[in-house]
Amino acid sequence: MQTASSVDYKYLREMVFSYSQNVLDPSRDYLFDTRLSKLMQRNGMTQVEELVQYLRFRKDLALERAIADAMTINETSFFRDSRPFELLRTELLPRIIEGRRNLRGLRFWSAACSTGQEGYSIAMGLREHFPSLAGWNIRIEGTDLCAEVVERAQAGRYHRIEINRGLPALFIVRYFDHVGEDWTVKEEIKKMCNFREANLCGSQFPFQRSSDRFDVIFLRNVMLYFSQETRRTLLANIHRLLAPDGILFLGSSEQPADPSIWTAVLAGGTCYYRPK
Ligand SMILES: C[S@@+](CC[C@H](N)C(=O)[O-])C[C@H]1O[C@@H](n2cnc3c(N)ncnc32)[C@H](O)[C@@H]1O
């Protein structure tokens, strides 16, 4: 049996980097074998080496993309690290809502939304705790690089195990329909959200115009896969798209690459960022 060489893995690491800017550590090269096994099977291949041979000789953008997608880490859950959601409810949103009284609109972005639980958590939180927003124009945008997770987010259908991670029983009853082993997000929540594919580090940023500005951006647990330079560029773009009184949440182990343009605020056992 042939095994892939370090040169083959390096080729794949570089290819993934050029597509998604995700930096993969060589100590985890074994992940290529497991994560790409289905994809190789579908293409009549059994070994990583075969796959690399194939890619070296012909440009196959769809296959490259599928490889980059397969190497993403899509871990997420409803109300993940509950504190940002709690702080939004108790302190931050009442203030932002006051400031948007005339506009009667709010915009949220779950950047790197994975299978959609973050976006739906925001939507359910708004429905549950801010009934006065009925009649407002509320948009929750969710974007992710990986086509498969975006499809799942759009479907809003979750297995019992996913539902049982972090979702209060009251929310399950109120905002989901039970379908066999699965639970589907109710239409009233779904229609507040819009999920689509987008690369945070590609040549076209997911949102361009300053009229696209957001009140709250969740950019959590994705920057840890990026280089320092990529983080800097990404956060400069995010800064541009956040309202002057807007809020940025990062993952609990992440920080802005350029602290000079952000004010960090510690509150409610968590940290959020305001544009300077
Ligand atoms: C660990 S999940 C985080 C999900 C959610 N934000 C959370 O904290 O629960 C990271 C997500 O980032 C996405 N991702 C990785 N690189 C990306 C890129 N360049 N552009 C957009 N999304 C990316 C992955 O597909 C994955 O779904």
Side-chain angles (χ1 to χ4, degrees), residues 19-22 68-69 71-78 80-81 110-118 143-147 149-150 197-202 206 218-226 230 234 250-251 254:
Y19 187 76
S20 65
Q21 302 291 304
N22 283 214
D69 274 13
M71 296 310 292
T72 56
I73 295 176
N74 310 118
E75 169 72 16
T76 190
S77 57
F78 288 102
R80 183 177 188 177
D81 307 332
S110 168
C113 61
S114 187
T115 35
Q117 286 91 327
E118 192 169 73
T143 59
D144 200 284
L145 174 84
C146 175
V149 294
V150 171
E197 285 172 43
N199 188 347
L200 291 169
C201 313
F218 279 68
L219 177 69
R220 304 193 305 161
N221 306 304
V222 60
M223 282 203 305
L224 58 175
Y225 309 113
F226 298 152
T230 307
L234 171 58
L250 301 178
E254 296 165 321

Side-chain angles (χ1 to χ4, degrees), residues 205-219:
F205 200 63
F207 298 93
Q208 299 290 333
R209 294 168 308 170
S210 52
S211 57
D212 281 339
R213 275 194 171 167
F214 289 94
D215 301 298
V216 182
I217 298 181
F218 279 68
L219 177 69

Side-chain angles (χ1 to χ4, degrees), residues 3-276:
T3 53
S5 70
S6 56
V7 178
D8 294 324
Y9 289 120
K10 183 164 179 280
Y11 179 91
L12 289 176
R13 269 187 267 116
E14 286 174 356
M15 204 205 73
V16 169
F17 179 76
S18 74
Y19 187 76
S20 65
Q21 302 291 304
N22 283 214
V23 179
L24 303 175
D25 194 279
S27 68
R28 308 187 78 198
D29 277 348
Y30 62 91
L31 285 176
F32 282 110
D33 295 78
T34 46
R35 297 254 182 95
L36 301 183
S37 67
K38 271 196 197 143
L39 178 149
M40 289 193 289
Q41 238 174 26
R42 278 202 302 273
N43 286 278
M45 302 171 191
T46 52
Q47 305 289 325
V48 163
E49 193 181 49
E50 259 179 281
L51 177 65
V52 173
Q53 285 272 23
Y54 173 87
L55 289 167
R56 279 187 200 280
F57 288 107
R58 58 190 77 83
K59 196 83 196 139
D60 187 335
L61 285 176
L63 188 58
E64 288 183 12
R65 191 185 165 172
I67 292 169
D69 274 13
M71 296 310 292
T72 56
I73 295 176
N74 310 118
E75 169 72 16
T76 190
S77 57
F78 288 102
F79 294 99
R80 183 177 188 177
D81 307 332
S82 60
R83 285 173 181 167
F85 297 96
E86 198 50 26
L87 188 66
L88 272 179
R89 178 174 78 81
T90 55
E91 210 178 290
L92 303 177
L93 274 178
R95 198 163 63 217
I96 294 181
I97 289 169
E98 189 56 38
R100 306 290 185 274
R101 222 165 247 298
N102 294 334
L103 196 67
R104 291 174 67 77
L106 286 174
R107 281 170 56 80
F108 298 79
W109 182 15
S110 168
C113 61
S114 187
T115 35
Q117 286 91 327
E118 192 169 73
Y120 288 132
S121 299
I122 298 170
M124 287 185 283
L126 291 172
R127 261 298 142 97
E128 186 64 29
H129 303 297
F130 297 93
S132 63
L133 296 180
W136 281 41
N137 182 17
I138 309 279
R139 292 309 309 153
I140 299 160
E141 303 286 348
T143 59
D144 200 284
L145 174 84
C146 175
E148 197 180 318
V149 294
V150 171
E151 259 175 49
R152 287 210 53 216
Q154 287 165 341
R157 189 176 172 133
Y158 298 95
H159 189 267
R160 180 172 38 83
I161 296 170
E162 294 168 300
I163 288 289
N164 285 335
R165 286 184 65 197
L167 200 51
L170 177 83
F171 280 48
I172 304 179
V173 177
R174 277 207 183 143
Y175 300 115
F176 287 82
D177 292 318
H178 198 180
V179 193
E181 276 282 277
D182 294 345
W183 296 78
T184 306
V185 177
K186 281 205 156 91
E187 208 45 46
E188 61 168 306
I189 296 298
K190 250 191 203 172
K191 69 182 185 207
M192 298 166 73
C193 303
N194 176 41
F195 294 104
R196 68 178 169 93
E197 285 172 43
N199 188 347
L200 291 169
C201 313
S203 52
Q204 270 223 319
F205 200 63
F207 298 93
Q208 299 290 333
R209 294 168 308 170
S210 52
S211 57
D212 281 339
R213 275 194 171 167
F214 289 94
D215 301 298
V216 182
I217 298 181
F218 279 68
L219 177 69
R220 304 193 305 161
N221 306 304
V222 60
M223 282 203 305
L224 58 175
Y225 309 113
F226 298 152
S227 70
Q228 189 67 3
E229 195 189 328
T230 307
R231 292 176 195 181
R232 192 176 282 273
T233 311
L234 171 58
L235 280 162
N237 282 325
I238 294 276
H239 190 276
R240 204 168 34 81
L241 279 177
L242 200 55
D245 60 347
I247 304 288
L248 169 67
F249 284 109
L250 301 178
S252 52
S253 59
E254 296 165 321
Q255 284 131 28
D258 182 357
S260 68
I261 57 170
W262 298 98
T263 302
V265 185
L266 288 171
T270 187
C271 183
Y272 68 90
Y273 298 89
R274 286 189 176 288
K276 269 188 190 162

